[in-house]
Amino acid sequence: MADIIRRFGWRHLRSAPTTHVRHHRRGRLVHDGPGLSFWYRALTAALCEVPVDDRELAMAFHARTSDFQDVTVQATVTYRIGDPATAAARLDFSIDPDTGVWRSAPLEQISTLLTETAQQHALDVLARTPLAAALVDGVASVRGRIAEGLAAEPRLEATGLAVVAVRVVALRPEPEVERALRTPAREQIQQEADRATYERRAVAVERERTIAENELASKIELARREEQLVEQRGTNARREAEESAAADGVRAEAEAARTVRLAKAEAEAAREVGEARAQAQAAWLRVHADVDAATLHALTATRLAENLPRIESLTVSPDVLTGLLARLGRPEGDRG
């Protein structure tokens, strides 16, 4: 909407660069172009303001497929007014010279024109397409048909409109039909999920079985090695016992041999000692054989005295002394 300022019966209009303003005074075109700014009198001015920027028109309409199923088409058409003079001549874009507000609703007329034209071409396509095909490829086919139909529509060109782009946002059936169509897909997805779950569980079970088999194999290998270890320990113990017994045998034989040698040595020494003693005794006897009896008696007494115990004190009773004296008083022949 243009900005209009009042000054002493005059009006000043200032438009945006995206609006095309046409100013007629007394039936003559005075100003014509986008982004204008000028003074005018309200009583003699006829103003038109035509937007020339790109505008988005969202539309939604119902259609029926070849199998009599209702669908909703959601589309967006981008358009612009390519010929402002033609549009201003065909549609009412006049504005109030005091407020700058459109006297009618030209953009609503354009929206109705574009919507009905697009709907006509979309219905033509969907009427020959079953619901399943429409849901799969309907968006592209409807978009192409609407774009072609709007480009070839003579009324749009006659009105000064130019279609920039066409987009079909969605093509949806009724909620009940959509739920019915979703059911097989959901069931298939659920089946795929269940199959994936079962496969995952099977893989987990297989892995657990593999782990259990590996653990069992490890235990078997450990038991086999323990058996080998026990067998080796027994072999080592038996070998140690055999070696110990052999060492004990060698030690016993050495001890026996040493004992025999020692016994032989002792016997030889005893024999030599006996022979020496016998020789000494024989020599002693030979020496004493040439000595008279009195000398032998004296030696015997001496030897006897040497072997007698030590007498600390001697008590001689009168009877013993009397007998000894009487014996000493006898003649030498009677003493014997």
Side-chain angles (χ1 to χ4, degrees), residues 195-209:
R195 181 162 53 252
T197 302
Y198 296 151
E199 291 177 356
R200 185 169 60 254
R201 290 179 180 176
V203 171
V205 171
E206 182 65 21
R207 289 180 179 176
E208 291 179 358
R209 185 182 65 81

Side-chain angles (χ1 to χ4, degrees), residues 6 26 35 39 71 77 87 104 110-111 116 136 150 165 185 194 198-199 203 232 252 263 294 296 331:
R6 301 178 182 182
R26 296 189 180 93
W39 290 90
V71 294
V77 175
S104 61
I110 295 175
S111 299
E116 291 179 352
V136 175
L150 292 178
D194 294 341
Y198 296 151
E199 291 177 356
V203 171
Q232 186 65 33
L296 292 175

Side-chain angles (χ1 to χ4, degrees), residues 140-164:
S141 60
V142 170
R143 181 178 62 246
R145 182 58 182 273
I146 292 176
E148 293 175 359
L150 292 178
E153 180 65 29
R155 186 179 175 185
L156 298 181
E157 184 178 0
T159 311
L161 300 178
V163 176
V164 178

Side-chain angles (χ1 to χ4, degrees), residues 257-271:
R258 189 178 67 80
T259 303
V260 171
R261 289 195 299 271
L262 183 60
K264 288 182 178 180
E266 290 179 353
E268 184 65 24
R271 184 179 61 78

Side-chain angles (χ1 to χ4, degrees), residues 83-93 106 109 154-160:
D83 190 352
T86 303
R90 298 295 299 270
L91 300 174
D92 186 9
F93 282 96
Q109 296 177 358
R155 186 179 175 185
L156 298 181
E157 184 178 0
T159 311

Side-chain angles (χ1 to χ4, degrees), residues 177-193:
V177 178
E178 187 174 4
R179 283 194 296 269
L181 293 174
R182 286 180 179 178
T183 301
R186 289 182 177 178
E187 291 180 355
Q188 184 177 0
I189 294 173
Q190 186 63 38
Q191 291 176 2
E192 293 293 335

